[in-house]
Amino acid sequence: MPQLLDIIIVNWNAGKQLRNCVLSVQKFASGSVGRIIIVDNGSTDGSLDEVESLAGVDFIRTGKNLGFAAACNIGTAKSSSPYVLFLNPDSRVYAKSLSVPLQFLERAENAKVGICGIQLVGQSGKVSRTCARFPTFGRLIVSSLGLSRLPTFLGSGIHMNDWDHAHTRRVDHVIGAFYMIRQEVLRACDGFDERFFMYFEDLDLSRRARLAGWDSWYLTEAQAFHAGGGTSRQVKTDRLFYSLRSRLLYALKHFSMFQAWFLIVITATVEPFTRTFYCLALLDIAGVRNTWSAFKMLWQGMRRIITANAPFHS
């Protein structure tokens, strides 16, 4: 297979997972990969030391954590192959992980498929529920009120937890942990929106691609391993804050002004209590502390979120 694909791995303190990820790509690339580009967001855990001796890997050191979207764009600027795979460092590819989506995208009948994902298997060995519906006002309100956790409302949120991910199909969005996209789609959409520090940046790109006439497909003929949670699991408070922040940015970008502001009010005033109630029901006292620390960060940063005119870093 000709070298059709560049792989971009955004690293931030991924530890030994980064080396395992790169080694798996090198093992199963089968000549299809042009460049492996690691964009390091200021890691301090020595994870780069584990991979610097590996041949065929390009390194970009940003010197600080610029966020996922900005790092992806930096990596994209160095890529030239027809397809780009954004791969999380806590992932490992298998024998068919790269060839199956590449061959799917190369078929003439799939000329309008812009983005592909494959089945991701977690630590338990089970297929993870990784696809999502485009966020709507109703879906985000349901999530903000905590109703999407209830069996009655299963499938009402953006995550497709109500689907077993057992067959190939067109979807709104595939998770950014394994996100294969045509180079021409990236260029047509001007890449990722860097106002999203992390979370929702891939959803936003999938939506803009769809509006431009490109489809996203989820393929079950290939699998890859994904630990899940990414390296952000190290900082749960920050993780929740950036998730909330990105949700509001998405609403301000894609919803009507009334809907966006309604969601902001519900998120800022009701959601802290619904999340606290859920944590207490699980006897998760650390979760309560993380919740209120994250919402404190959200309230303090609300003005910058609403204006959303520049990248935001806590």
Side-chain angles (χ1 to χ4, degrees):
M1 179 175 288
Q3 294 180 344
L4 297 172
L5 180 69
D6 288 334
I7 296 180
I8 297 172
I9 303 170
V10 175
N11 181 55
W12 180 75
N13 293 335
K16 294 184 181 300
Q17 295 179 112
L18 176 62
R19 180 180 175 85
N20 293 333
C21 176
V22 175
L23 290 176
S24 73
V25 170
Q26 292 181 327
K27 180 178 180 180
F28 296 115
S30 300
S32 60
V33 175
R35 303 179 71 180
I36 301 172
I37 303 168
I38 295 177
V39 183
D40 185 72
N41 260 342
S43 294
T44 56
D45 67 340
S47 48
L48 281 190
D49 298 339
E50 300 280 340
V51 294
E52 281 185 320
S53 61
L54 299 178
V57 181
D58 296 327
F59 298 93
I60 300 173
R61 295 171 175 80
T62 65
K64 60 181 179 180
N65 194 351
L66 301 179
F68 184 74
C72 286
N73 287 342
I74 290 171
T76 301
K78 299 293 184 182
S79 69
S80 56
S81 293
Y83 303 99
V84 175
L85 172 63
F86 295 99
L87 184 65
N88 272 19
D90 61 340
S91 302
R92 294 196 301 273
V93 301
Y94 301 144
K96 297 182 180 179
S97 302
L98 305 177
S99 60
V100 166
L102 272 177
Q103 291 168 2
F104 184 83
L105 289 165
E106 281 284 278
R107 293 176 195 157
E109 66 267 28
N110 295 330
K112 294 307 293 180
V113 177
I115 300 164
C116 263
I118 62 175
Q119 278 188 332
L120 298 182
V121 178
Q123 300 277 11
S124 66
K126 297 180 179 178
V127 173
S128 305
R129 310 290 173 91
T130 53
C131 295
R133 304 175 180 88
F134 290 136
T136 63
F137 173 65
R139 286 171 181 156
L140 292 189
I141 286 292
V142 166
S143 296
S144 185
L145 293 174
L147 298 175
S148 57
R149 301 176 189 270
L150 304 176
T152 306
F153 290 87
L154 185 66
S156 60
I158 64 173
H159 300 294
M160 299 179 71
N161 294 325
D162 54 321
W163 174 47
D164 61 6
H165 289 54
H167 60 275
T168 293
R169 59 173 284 189
R170 177 179 179 261
V171 295
D172 286 347
H173 174 66
V174 297
I175 190 173
F178 187 104
Y179 194 86
M180 191 175 291
I181 184 170
R182 294 180 189 271
Q183 184 80 252
E184 67 177 297
V185 177
L186 275 172
R187 290 173 179 167
C189 295
D190 293 324
F192 291 89
D193 185 338
E194 296 182 9
R195 290 175 296 179
F196 295 93
F197 187 74
M198 60 186 294
Y199 302 122
F200 280 70
E201 67 284 301
D202 50 349
L203 263 167
D204 170 69
L205 179 57
S206 294
R207 178 182 170 88
R208 288 187 284 122
R210 174 67 61 81
L211 292 174
W214 299 94
D215 290 333
S216 295
W217 275 74
Y218 173 79
L219 311 179
T220 57
E221 292 79 10
Q223 293 185 334
F225 170 80
H226 178 225
T231 52
S232 64
R233 69 166 64 190
Q234 305 166 32
V235 282
K236 293 182 179 179
T237 295
D238 288 2
R239 182 179 171 185
L240 175 56
F241 162 68
Y242 282 118
S243 176
L244 296 167
R245 174 184 180 274
S246 291
R247 179 204 295 171
L248 299 185
L249 286 176
Y250 188 96
L252 287 163
K253 182 173 182 177
H254 294 289
F255 298 171
S256 71
M257 191 57 66
F258 169 78
Q259 290 175 334
W261 273 99
F262 191 86
L263 183 66
I264 289 170
V265 171
I266 294 296
T267 300
T269 61
V270 179
E271 186 163 353
F273 297 98
T274 61
R275 284 185 174 272
T276 298
F277 177 80
Y278 181 75
C279 290
L280 290 175
L282 297 176
L283 302 178
D284 182 6
I285 303 305
V288 174
R289 288 196 294 267
N290 289 331
T291 294
W292 285 94
S293 295
F295 274 92
K296 182 180 179 182
M297 293 169 66
L298 186 75
W299 296 326
Q300 291 174 338
M302 190 63 78
R303 184 181 63 81
R304 298 183 66 180
I305 294 170
I306 293 170
T307 56
N309 55 5
F312 179 91
H313 308 282
S314 62

